[in-house]
Amino acid sequence: MTNKITKFFEVVDFANLQHYKDRNPPWIKLYNELLDSYNFACLQDASKLHLILIFLLASRTNNKIPYDATWIKHRINATENIDLQALEE
């Protein structure tokens, strides 16, 4: 039996983080205005780092990340659990 992923996690305004459009980019844009974001500031410190690593993951998955905290944790090499609900809110 195969598990089919039915829900995905996407980074908001992902296109603004991309320099390269149609390929696997070696880097992403990370604007310092993120420091002015109230929503970002409200995240726990671990979630802030997880979000930035998820930006990198999104660049490899064409911004279609399985909504699976365990899978994401493994892919970004996190040592703490990923709080997808906090990131989604």
Side-chain angles (χ1 to χ4, degrees):
M1 181 182 290
T2 60
N3 293 335
K4 185 172 180 172
I5 298 168
T6 58
K7 187 172 180 181
F8 291 91
F9 190 79
E10 295 181 347
V11 174
V12 176
D13 294 329
F14 176 71
N16 290 330
L17 300 173
Q18 291 301 297
H19 177 72
Y20 298 98
K21 298 299 179 197
D22 296 319
R23 53 189 158 138
N24 186 11
W27 58 277
I28 62 169
K29 297 177 187 177
L30 184 61
Y31 291 100
N32 65 15
E33 67 189 29
L34 187 61
L35 295 173
D36 301 325
S37 168
Y38 177 79
N39 291 335
F40 184 77
C42 288
L43 290 172
Q44 295 292 319
D45 288 345
S47 290
K48 290 175 186 174
L49 177 58
H50 292 161
L51 181 59
I52 293 170
L53 293 171
I54 287 170
F55 290 168
L56 293 171
L57 182 59
S59 75
R60 290 187 169 184
T61 62
N62 200 27
N63 200 28
K64 196 169 184 182
I65 303 167
Y67 197 92
D68 180 338
T70 302
W71 184 85
I72 294 171
K73 179 181 177 179
H74 173 73
R75 288 300 309 260
I76 67 172
N77 299 307
T79 58
E80 296 182 23
N81 292 331
I82 310 298
D83 187 353
L84 288 181
Q85 184 176 355
L87 296 173
E88 188 173 31
E89 292 171 1

Coordinates of all heavy atoms in Angstrom, one line a residue:
M1 N 0.8 -1.2 0.0 CA 0.0 0.0 0.0 C 0.9 1.2 0.0 O 1.8 1.3 0.8 CB -0.9 0.0 1.2 CG -1.8 1.2 1.3 SD -2.9 1.2 2.8 CE -3.9 -0.2 2.4
T2 N 0.6 2.2 -0.8 CA 1.4 3.4 -0.9 C 0.6 4.6 -0.2 O -0.6 4.6 -0.3 CB 1.7 3.8 -2.4 OG1 0.5 4.0 -3.0 CG2 2.5 2.7 -3.0
N3 N 1.4 5.4 0.4 CA 0.8 6.6 1.0 C 0.8 7.7 0.1 O 1.9 8.1 -0.5 CB 1.5 7.0 2.3 CG 1.4 5.9 3.4 OD1 0.4 5.2 3.4 ND2 2.3 5.9 4.3
K4 N -0.3 8.3 -0.2 CA -0.4 9.4 -1.1 C -0.5 10.7 -0.3 O -1.3 10.8 0.6 CB -1.6 9.3 -2.1 CG -1.6 10.4 -3.1 CD -2.7 10.2 -4.1 CE -2.6 11.4 -5.1 NZ -3.4 11.2 -6.2
I5 N 0.4 11.6 -0.6 CA 0.4 12.9 0.1 C -0.7 13.8 -0.5 O -0.8 14.0 -1.7 CB 1.8 13.6 -0.1 CG1 2.9 12.8 0.6 CG2 1.7 15.0 0.6 CD1 4.2 13.2 0.2
T6 N -1.6 14.2 0.4 CA -2.7 15.0 0.0 C -2.7 16.5 0.4 O -3.4 17.3 -0.1 CB -4.1 14.4 0.5 OG1 -4.0 14.4 1.9 CG2 -4.3 13.0 0.0
K7 N -1.8 16.8 1.3 CA -1.7 18.2 1.7 C -0.2 18.6 1.6 O 0.7 17.9 1.9 CB -2.1 18.3 3.2 CG -2.2 19.7 3.7 CD -2.9 19.8 5.0 CE -2.9 21.3 5.5 NZ -3.5 21.4 6.8
F8 N 0.0 19.8 1.2 CA 1.3 20.4 1.0 C 1.5 21.7 1.8 O 0.5 22.4 2.1 CB 1.6 20.6 -0.5 CG 1.8 19.4 -1.2 CD1 0.7 18.8 -1.9 CD2 3.0 18.7 -1.3 CE1 0.8 17.6 -2.6 CE2 3.1 17.5 -2.0 CZ 2.0 17.0 -2.6
F9 N 2.7 22.0 2.1 CA 3.1 23.2 2.8 C 3.8 24.1 1.8 O 4.7 23.6 1.1 CB 4.0 22.8 4.0 CG 4.3 23.9 5.0 CD1 3.4 24.3 5.9 CD2 5.5 24.6 4.9 CE1 3.7 25.2 6.9 CE2 5.8 25.5 5.8 CZ 4.9 25.9 6.8
E10 N 3.4 25.4 1.7 CA 4.1 26.3 0.7 C 4.5 27.5 1.4 O 3.9 28.0 2.4 CB 3.1 26.6 -0.4 CG 2.8 25.4 -1.3 CD 1.8 25.8 -2.4 OE1 1.3 26.9 -2.4 OE2 1.7 24.9 -3.3
V11 N 5.6 28.1 1.0 CA 6.1 29.3 1.5 C 5.4 30.5 0.8 O 5.3 30.5 -0.4 CB 7.7 29.5 1.2 CG1 8.2 30.8 1.6 CG2 8.4 28.3 2.0
V12 N 4.9 31.4 1.6 CA 4.2 32.6 1.1 C 5.2 33.5 0.4 O 6.3 33.6 0.9 CB 3.5 33.3 2.3 CG1 2.8 34.6 1.8 CG2 2.5 32.5 2.9
D13 N 4.8 34.0 -0.7 CA 5.7 34.9 -1.5 C 7.0 34.3 -1.9 O 8.0 34.9 -2.0 CB 6.0 36.2 -0.8 CG 4.7 37.1 -0.6 OD1 3.8 37.0 -1.4 OD2 4.7 37.8 0.4
F14 N 6.9 33.0 -2.2 CA 8.1 32.2 -2.6 C 8.8 32.8 -3.8 O 10.0 32.8 -3.8 CB 7.7 30.8 -2.8 CG 8.8 29.9 -3.3 CD1 9.8 29.5 -2.5 CD2 8.8 29.4 -4.6 CE1 10.8 28.7 -2.9 CE2 9.8 28.6 -5.1 CZ 10.8 28.2 -4.2
A15 N 8.1 33.3 -4.7 CA 8.7 33.9 -6.0 C 9.6 35.0 -5.6 O 10.6 35.2 -6.3 CB 7.6 34.3 -6.9
N16 N 9.4 35.8 -4.6 CA 10.2 36.9 -4.2 C 11.6 36.4 -3.6 O 12.5 37.1 -3.5 CB 9.6 37.8 -3.2 CG 8.4 38.6 -3.8 OD1 8.5 38.9 -5.0 ND2 7.4 38.9 -3.0
L17 N 11.6 35.1 -3.2 CA 12.8 34.5 -2.6 C 13.7 33.9 -3.7 O 14.8 33.5 -3.4 CB 12.5 33.5 -1.6 CG 11.7 34.0 -0.4 CD1 11.3 32.8 0.5 CD2 12.5 35.0 0.4
Q18 N 13.2 33.8 -4.9 CA 13.9 33.1 -6.0 C 14.7 34.1 -6.9 O 14.1 35.1 -7.3 CB 12.9 32.3 -6.8 CG 12.3 31.2 -6.1 CD 13.4 30.2 -5.6 OE1 14.1 29.6 -6.4 NE2 13.5 30.1 -4.3
H19 N 15.9 33.7 -7.2 CA 16.6 34.4 -8.2 C 16.5 33.7 -9.5 O 16.3 34.3 -10.6 CB 18.1 34.6 -7.8 CG 19.0 35.2 -8.8 ND1 18.9 36.6 -9.0 CD2 19.9 34.8 -9.6 CE1 19.8 36.9 -9.9 NE2 20.4 35.8 -10.3
Y20 N 16.6 32.4 -9.5 CA 16.5 31.6 -10.7 C 15.0 31.1 -10.7 O 14.5 30.7 -9.8 CB 17.4 30.4 -10.6 CG 18.9 30.7 -10.5 CD1 19.5 30.8 -9.3 CD2 19.6 31.0 -11.7 CE1 20.9 31.1 -9.2 CE2 20.9 31.4 -11.6 CZ 21.6 31.5 -10.4 OH 22.9 31.8 -10.3
K21 N 14.5 31.1 -11.9 CA 13.1 30.8 -12.0 C 12.8 29.3 -12.4 O 11.9 28.7 -11.9 CB 12.4 31.7 -13.1 CG 12.5 33.2 -12.7 CD 11.8 33.4 -11.4 CE 11.8 34.8 -11.0 NZ 11.5 35.1 -9.6
D22 N 13.5 28.7 -13.3 CA 13.1 27.4 -13.8 C 14.1 26.3 -13.6 O 14.3 25.4 -14.4 CB 12.9 27.5 -15.4 CG 11.7 28.4 -15.7 OD1 10.7 28.3 -14.9 OD2 11.8 29.2 -16.6
R23 N 14.8 26.4 -12.5 CA 15.8 25.3 -12.1 C 16.1 25.3 -10.7 O 15.6 26.2 -9.9 CB 17.1 25.6 -12.9 CG 17.7 26.9 -12.8 CD 18.8 27.1 -13.8 NE 19.0 28.5 -14.0 CZ 20.2 29.1 -14.1 NH1 21.3 28.3 -14.0 NH2 20.4 30.3 -14.3
N24 N 16.8 24.3 -10.2 CA 17.1 24.2 -8.8 C 18.2 25.2 -8.5 O 19.4 25.1 -8.8 CB 17.7 22.8 -8.6 CG 17.9 22.4 -7.2 OD1 17.5 23.2 -6.3 ND2 18.6 21.3 -6.9
P25 N 17.8 26.3 -7.7 CA 18.7 27.4 -7.5 C 19.8 27.0 -6.4 O 19.5 26.3 -5.5 CB 17.8 28.5 -6.9 CG 16.7 27.8 -6.3 CD 16.5 26.5 -7.1
P26 N 21.0 27.5 -6.6 CA 22.1 27.3 -5.6 C 21.9 28.2 -4.4 O 22.6 27.9 -3.4 CB 23.3 27.6 -6.4 CG 22.9 28.6 -7.4 CD 21.5 28.2 -7.8
W27 N 21.1 29.2 -4.5 CA 20.9 30.1 -3.4 C 19.5 30.7 -3.5 O 18.9 30.7 -4.6 CB 22.0 31.2 -3.3 CG 22.1 32.0 -4.5 CD1 22.8 31.7 -5.7 CD2 21.6 33.3 -4.8 NE1 22.7 32.7 -6.6 CE2 22.0 33.7 -6.1 CE3 20.8 34.1 -4.0 CZ2 21.6 34.9 -6.6 CZ3 20.4 35.3 -4.6 CH2 20.8 35.7 -5.9
I28 N 19.0 31.4 -2.4 CA 17.8 32.1 -2.4 C 18.0 33.5 -1.9 O 19.0 33.7 -1.3 CB 16.7 31.4 -1.6 CG1 17.1 31.3 -0.1 CG2 16.3 30.0 -2.1 CD1 16.0 30.9 0.8
K29 N 17.1 34.4 -2.2 CA 17.1 35.7 -1.6 C 16.5 35.7 -0.2 O 15.5 35.0 0.0 CB 16.3 36.7 -2.5 CG 16.8 36.9 -3.9 CD 15.8 37.8 -4.6 CE 16.1 37.8 -6.1 NZ 15.1 38.7 -6.8
L30 N 17.2 36.3 0.7 CA 16.7 36.5 2.1 C 16.7 37.9 2.4 O 17.8 38.5 2.7 CB 17.4 35.6 3.0 CG 16.9 35.6 4.5 CD1 15.5 35.0 4.5 CD2 17.8 34.8 5.4
Y31 N 15.6 38.6 2.4 CA 15.6 40.0 2.6 C 15.6 40.4 4.1 O 15.0 39.7 4.9 CB 14.3 40.6 2.0 CG 14.3 40.6 0.5 CD1 13.6 39.6 -0.2 CD2 15.0 41.5 -0.2 CE1 13.5 39.5 -1.5 CE2 14.9 41.5 -1.6 CZ 14.2 40.5 -2.3 OH 14.2 40.5 -3.6
N32 N 16.4 41.4 4.4 CA 16.5 41.8 5.8 C 15.2 42.4 6.4 O 15.0 42.5 7.6 CB 17.7 42.8 6.1 CG 17.5 44.1 5.4 OD1 16.4 44.4 4.9 ND2 18.6 44.8 5.3
E33 N 14.2 42.7 5.5 CA 12.9 43.1 6.0 C 12.2 42.0 6.8 O 11.2 42.3 7.5 CB 12.0 43.6 4.9 CG 11.6 42.5 3.9 CD 10.9 43.1 2.7 OE1 11.2 44.2 2.3 OE2 10.1 42.3 2.1
L34 N 12.7 40.8 6.7 CA 12.1 39.7 7.5 C 12.2 40.1 9.0 O 11.4 39.7 9.8 CB 12.9 38.4 7.3 CG 12.4 37.2 7.9 CD1 10.9 36.9 7.4 CD2 13.3 36.0 7.6
L35 N 13.3 40.9 9.4 CA 13.4 41.3 10.8 C 12.3 42.3 11.2 O 12.1 42.4 12.4 CB 14.8 42.0 11.0 CG 16.0 41.1 10.8 CD1 17.3 41.9 10.8 CD2 16.1 40.0 11.8
D36 N 11.6 42.9 10.3 CA 10.6 43.8 10.6 C 9.2 43.1 10.6 O 8.2 43.8 10.9 CB 10.5 44.9 9.5 CG 11.8 45.7 9.5 OD1 12.4 45.9 10.6 OD2 12.2 46.2 8.4
S37 N 9.1 41.8 10.3 CA 7.9 41.1 10.2 C 7.4 40.8 11.6 O 8.1 40.1 12.4 CB 8.1 39.8 9.4 OG 6.9 39.0 9.6
Y38 N 6.2 41.3 12.0 CA 5.6 41.0 13.3 C 5.4 39.5 13.4 O 5.7 38.9 14.5 CB 4.3 41.7 13.4 CG 3.6 41.4 14.7 CD1 4.0 42.0 15.9 CD2 2.5 40.5 14.7 CE1 3.4 41.7 17.1 CE2 1.9 40.2 15.9 CZ 2.3 40.8 17.1 OH 1.7 40.6 18.3
N39 N 4.9 38.8 12.4 CA 4.6 37.4 12.4 C 5.9 36.6 12.6 O 5.9 35.6 13.4 CB 3.9 36.9 11.1 CG 2.5 37.5 11.1 OD1 1.9 37.8 12.1 ND2 2.0 37.6 9.9
F40 N 7.0 37.0 12.0 CA 8.2 36.3 12.2 C 8.7 36.5 13.6 O 9.2 35.6 14.2 CB 9.3 36.8 11.1 CG 10.6 36.1 11.2 CD1 10.7 34.8 10.6 CD2 11.7 36.7 11.7 CE1 11.9 34.1 10.7 CE2 12.9 36.0 11.8 CZ 13.0 34.8 11.3
A41 N 8.6 37.7 14.1 CA 9.1 38.0 15.4 C 8.3 37.2 16.5 O 8.9 36.9 17.6 CB 8.9 39.5 15.7
C42 N 7.1 36.9 16.2 CA 6.3 36.2 17.2 C 6.6 34.7 17.3 O 6.2 34.0 18.2 CB 4.8 36.3 16.9 SG 4.2 38.0 17.2
L43 N 7.4 34.2 16.3 CA 7.8 32.8 16.3 C 8.8 32.5 17.4 O 9.6 33.4 17.8 CB 8.4 32.4 15.0 CG 7.4 32.3 13.8 CD1 8.2 32.1 12.5 CD2 6.4 31.2 14.0
Q44 N 8.8 31.3 17.9 CA 9.9 30.8 18.8 C 11.2 30.8 18.0 O 11.1 30.7 16.8 CB 9.5 29.4 19.3 CG 8.3 29.4 20.2 CD 8.5 30.1 21.5 OE1 9.6 30.0 22.2 NE2 7.5 30.8 22.0
D45 N 12.3 31.0 18.7 CA 13.6 31.0 18.0 C 13.8 29.8 17.1 O 14.3 29.9 16.0 CB 14.7 31.2 19.0 CG 14.8 32.6 19.6 OD1 14.1 33.5 19.0 OD2 15.4 32.8 20.6
A46 N 13.5 28.6 17.6 CA 13.7 27.4 16.8 C 12.8 27.5 15.5 O 13.3 27.1 14.4 CB 13.4 26.2 17.6
S47 N 11.6 27.9 15.6 CA 10.7 28.0 14.5 C 11.2 29.0 13.5 O 11.1 28.9 12.3 CB 9.3 28.4 14.9 OG 8.7 27.3 15.6
K48 N 11.9 30.1 13.9 CA 12.5 31.1 13.0 C 13.5 30.4 12.1 O 13.6 30.6 10.9 CB 13.1 32.2 13.8 CG 12.1 33.2 14.4 CD 12.8 34.2 15.3 CE 11.8 35.0 16.0 NZ 12.4 36.0 16.9
L49 N 14.4 29.6 12.8 CA 15.4 28.9 12.0 C 14.8 27.9 11.1 O 15.2 27.7 9.9 CB 16.5 28.3 12.9 CG 17.5 27.4 12.2 CD1 18.3 28.3 11.2 CD2 18.5 26.8 13.2
H50 N 13.8 27.1 11.6 CA 13.1 26.2 10.8 C 12.5 26.8 9.5 O 12.6 26.3 8.4 CB 12.0 25.5 11.6 CG 12.5 24.6 12.7 ND1 11.8 24.2 13.7 CD2 13.8 24.0 12.9 CE1 12.5 23.4 14.6 NE2 13.7 23.3 14.1
L51 N 11.9 28.0 9.7 CA 11.3 28.7 8.6 C 12.4 29.0 7.5 O 12.2 28.8 6.3 CB 10.6 29.9 9.0 CG 9.9 30.7 7.9 CD1 8.9 29.8 7.2 CD2 9.2 32.0 8.5
I52 N 13.5 29.5 7.9 CA 14.6 29.9 7.0 C 15.1 28.6 6.2 O 15.3 28.6 5.0 CB 15.7 30.6 7.7 CG1 15.2 32.0 8.1 CG2 16.9 30.8 6.7 CD1 16.1 32.8 9.0
L53 N 15.2 27.5 7.0 CA 15.6 26.3 6.3 C 14.5 25.7 5.4 O 14.8 25.1 4.4 CB 16.0 25.2 7.4 CG 17.2 25.6 8.2 CD1 17.4 24.6 9.4 CD2 18.5 25.6 7.3
I54 N 13.3 26.0 5.8 CA 12.2 25.6 4.9 C 12.2 26.4 3.6 O 11.8 25.9 2.5 CB 10.8 25.7 5.6 CG1 10.7 24.5 6.6 CG2 9.6 25.7 4.7 CD1 9.5 24.6 7.6
F55 N 12.6 27.7 3.7 CA 12.8 28.5 2.5 C 13.7 27.7 1.5 O 13.5 27.7 0.3 CB 13.4 29.9 2.8 CG 12.4 30.8 3.5 CD1 13.0 32.0 4.0 CD2 11.1 30.6 3.6 CE1 12.2 32.9 4.7 CE2 10.3 31.5 4.3 CZ 10.8 32.7 4.8
L56 N 14.9 27.2 2.1 CA 15.8 26.5 1.3 C 15.2 25.2 0.7 O 15.4 24.9 -0.5 CB 17.1 26.2 2.1 CG 17.9 27.4 2.5 CD1 19.0 26.9 3.5 CD2 18.5 28.1 1.3
L57 N 14.5 24.5 1.5 CA 13.8 23.3 1.1 C 12.8 23.6 0.0 O 12.7 22.9 -1.0 CB 13.1 22.6 2.3 CG 12.4 21.3 2.0 CD1 13.4 20.3 1.4 CD2 11.8 20.8 3.3
A58 N 12.1 24.7 0.1 CA 11.1 25.1 -0.9 C 11.8 25.3 -2.2 O 11.2 25.0 -3.3 CB 10.3 26.3 -0.5
S59 N 13.0 25.8 -2.2 CA 13.7 26.0 -3.5 C 14.1 24.7 -4.2 O 14.2 24.7 -5.4 CB 15.0 26.9 -3.3 OG 16.0 26.1 -2.7
R60 N 14.1 23.6 -3.4 CA 14.4 22.3 -4.0 C 13.2 21.5 -4.4 O 13.3 20.6 -5.1 CB 15.3 21.5 -3.0 CG 16.6 22.0 -2.8 CD 17.4 21.1 -2.0 NE 18.8 21.4 -2.0 CZ 19.8 20.7 -1.4 NH1 19.5 19.6 -0.8 NH2 21.0 21.1 -1.5
T61 N 12.1 22.0 -3.9 CA 10.8 21.2 -4.1 C 9.8 22.0 -5.0 O 8.6 21.6 -5.0 CB 10.2 20.8 -2.8 OG1 9.8 22.0 -2.1 CG2 11.0 19.9 -2.0
N62 N 10.3 23.1 -5.6 CA 9.4 24.0 -6.3 C 8.2 24.5 -5.4 O 7.1 24.6 -5.9 CB 8.9 23.3 -7.6 CG 8.4 24.3 -8.6 OD1 8.8 25.4 -8.6 ND2 7.4 23.9 -9.4
N63 N 8.5 24.7 -4.2 CA 7.6 25.2 -3.2 C 6.4 24.3 -3.0 O 5.3 24.7 -2.6 CB 7.1 26.6 -3.6 CG 6.5 27.4 -2.4 OD1 6.9 27.1 -1.2 ND2 5.6 28.3 -2.6
K64 N 6.6 23.0 -3.1 CA 5.6 22.0 -2.8 C 6.1 21.0 -1.8 O 6.6 20.0 -2.2 CB 5.1 21.4 -4.1 CG 3.8 20.6 -4.0 CD 3.3 20.2 -5.4 CE 2.0 19.6 -5.2 NZ 1.5 19.1 -6.5
I65 N 6.0 21.4 -0.6 CA 6.6 20.6 0.5 C 5.5 19.7 1.2 O 4.5 20.3 1.6 CB 7.2 21.5 1.6 CG1 8.3 22.5 1.0 CG2 7.8 20.7 2.7 CD1 8.7 23.6 1.8
P66 N 5.7 18.5 1.3 CA 4.7 17.6 1.9 C 4.4 18.1 3.4 O 5.3 18.5 4.1 CB 5.3 16.2 2.0 CG 6.3 16.2 0.9 CD 6.8 17.7 0.8
Y67 N 3.1 18.2 3.7 CA 2.7 18.6 5.0 C 3.0 17.5 6.0 O 2.1 16.8 6.5 CB 1.3 19.1 5.1 CG 0.9 19.9 6.3 CD1 1.0 21.3 6.2 CD2 0.5 19.3 7.4 CE1 0.6 22.1 7.3 CE2 0.1 20.1 8.5 CZ 0.2 21.4 8.5 OH -0.1 22.2 9.6
D68 N 4.3 17.3 6.3 CA 4.7 16.2 7.2 C 5.9 16.6 8.0 O 7.0 16.7 7.5 CB 5.1 15.0 6.3 CG 5.5 13.8 7.0 OD1 6.0 13.9 8.2 OD2 5.4 12.7 6.5
A69 N 5.6 17.0 9.2 CA 6.7 17.6 10.1 C 7.9 16.6 10.2 O 9.0 17.1 10.3 CB 6.1 17.9 11.4
T70 N 7.7 15.3 10.3 CA 8.8 14.4 10.4 C 9.6 14.4 9.2 O 10.9 14.4 9.2 CB 8.2 13.0 10.7 OG1 7.4 13.0 11.9 CG2 9.4 12.0 10.9
W71 N 9.0 14.4 8.0 CA 9.7 14.5 6.7 C 10.5 15.8 6.6 O 11.7 15.8 6.3 CB 8.8 14.3 5.6 CG 9.4 14.3 4.2 CD1 9.9 13.2 3.6 CD2 9.7 15.4 3.3 NE1 10.5 13.5 2.4 CE2 10.3 14.8 2.2 CE3 9.4 16.7 3.4 CZ2 10.7 15.6 1.1 CZ3 9.8 17.5 2.3 CH2 10.4 17.0 1.2
I72 N 9.9 16.9 7.0 CA 10.6 18.2 6.9 C 11.8 18.2 7.9 O 12.9 18.6 7.5 CB 9.6 19.3 7.2 CG1 8.6 19.4 6.0 CG2 10.4 20.6 7.3 CD1 7.4 20.4 6.3
K73 N 11.5 17.7 9.1 CA 12.6 17.7 10.1 C 13.8 16.9 9.6 O 14.9 17.4 9.7 CB 12.1 17.0 11.4 CG 13.1 16.9 12.5 CD 12.5 16.2 13.7 CE 13.6 16.0 14.8 NZ 13.0 15.3 16.0
H74 N 13.6 15.8 8.9 CA 14.7 15.0 8.4 C 15.4 15.8 7.2 O 16.6 15.8 7.2 CB 14.1 13.7 7.8 CG 15.1 12.9 7.1 ND1 16.2 12.2 7.7 CD2 15.3 12.6 5.8 CE1 16.9 11.6 6.8 NE2 16.4 11.8 5.6
R75 N 14.6 16.4 6.3 CA 15.2 17.1 5.2 C 16.0 18.3 5.5 O 16.9 18.6 4.9 CB 14.0 17.5 4.2 CG 13.4 16.3 3.4 CD 14.4 15.6 2.6 NE 15.2 16.4 1.7 CZ 15.0 16.7 0.4 NH1 14.1 16.1 -0.2 NH2 15.8 17.5 -0.2
I76 N 15.6 19.0 6.6 CA 16.3 20.2 7.0 C 17.3 19.9 8.1 O 18.0 20.9 8.6 CB 15.4 21.4 7.4 CG1 14.6 21.1 8.7 CG2 14.5 21.8 6.2 CD1 13.9 22.3 9.2
N77 N 17.5 18.6 8.5 CA 18.4 18.2 9.5 C 18.2 18.9 10.9 O 19.1 19.3 11.5 CB 19.9 18.4 9.1 CG 20.2 17.6 7.8 OD1 20.0 16.4 7.8 ND2 20.7 18.3 6.8
A78 N 16.9 19.1 11.2 CA 16.6 19.7 12.5 C 16.7 18.7 13.6 O 16.5 17.5 13.5 CB 15.1 20.2 12.4
T79 N 17.1 19.2 14.8 CA 17.2 18.3 16.0 C 15.9 18.5 16.9 O 15.7 17.7 17.7 CB 18.4 18.7 16.8 OG1 18.3 20.1 17.2 CG2 19.7 18.4 16.0
E80 N 15.1 19.5 16.6 CA 13.9 19.7 17.4 C 12.7 19.5 16.4 O 12.9 19.6 15.2 CB 13.8 21.2 17.9 CG 14.9 21.4 19.0 CD 14.8 22.8 19.5 OE1 13.7 23.4 19.5 OE2 15.9 23.3 20.0
N81 N 11.6 19.2 17.0 CA 10.4 19.0 16.2 C 10.0 20.3 15.5 O 10.2 21.4 16.0 CB 9.2 18.5 17.0 CG 9.5 17.0 17.5 OD1 10.2 16.3 16.8 ND2 8.9 16.7 18.6
I82 N 9.4 20.1 14.3 CA 8.9 21.3 13.5 C 7.5 21.5 13.9 O 6.6 20.7 13.8 CB 9.0 20.9 12.0 CG1 10.4 20.4 11.6 CG2 8.6 22.2 11.2 CD1 11.5 21.3 11.8
D83 N 7.2 22.8 14.2 CA 5.8 23.2 14.6 C 5.2 23.8 13.3 O 5.2 25.0 13.1 CB 5.9 24.2 15.7 CG 4.5 24.5 16.3 OD1 3.5 24.1 15.7 OD2 4.4 25.2 17.3
L84 N 4.6 22.9 12.5 CA 4.0 23.4 11.3 C 2.8 24.3 11.5 O 2.6 25.2 10.7 CB 3.6 22.2 10.4 CG 4.7 21.4 9.7 CD1 4.2 20.2 8.9 CD2 5.6 22.3 8.9
Q85 N 2.1 24.0 12.6 CA 0.9 24.9 12.9 C 1.3 26.3 13.1 O 0.8 27.2 12.6 CB 0.1 24.3 14.0 CG -1.1 25.1 14.3 CD -2.0 24.5 15.4 OE1 -1.7 23.4 15.9 NE2 -3.0 25.2 15.8
A86 N 2.4 26.5 13.9 CA 2.9 27.8 14.2 C 3.4 28.5 13.0 O 3.1 29.7 12.7 CB 4.0 27.8 15.3
L87 N 4.1 27.8 12.1 CA 4.6 28.3 10.9 C 3.5 28.7 9.9 O 3.5 29.7 9.2 CB 5.6 27.4 10.2 CG 6.9 27.1 11.0 CD1 7.7 26.0 10.3 CD2 7.7 28.4 11.2
E88 N 2.4 27.8 9.9 CA 1.3 28.1 9.0 C 0.5 29.3 9.4 O 0.0 30.0 8.6 CB 0.4 26.8 9.0 CG -0.7 26.9 8.0 CD -1.4 25.5 7.9 OE1 -1.5 24.8 8.9 OE2 -1.9 25.2 6.8
E89 N 0.4 29.5 10.7 CA -0.4 30.6 11.2 C 0.3 31.9 10.9 O -0.2 32.9 10.7 CB -0.7 30.5 12.7 CG -1.6 29.4 13.0 CD -1.7 29.1 14.5 OE1 -1.1 29.8 15.3 OE2 -2.5 28.2 14.9

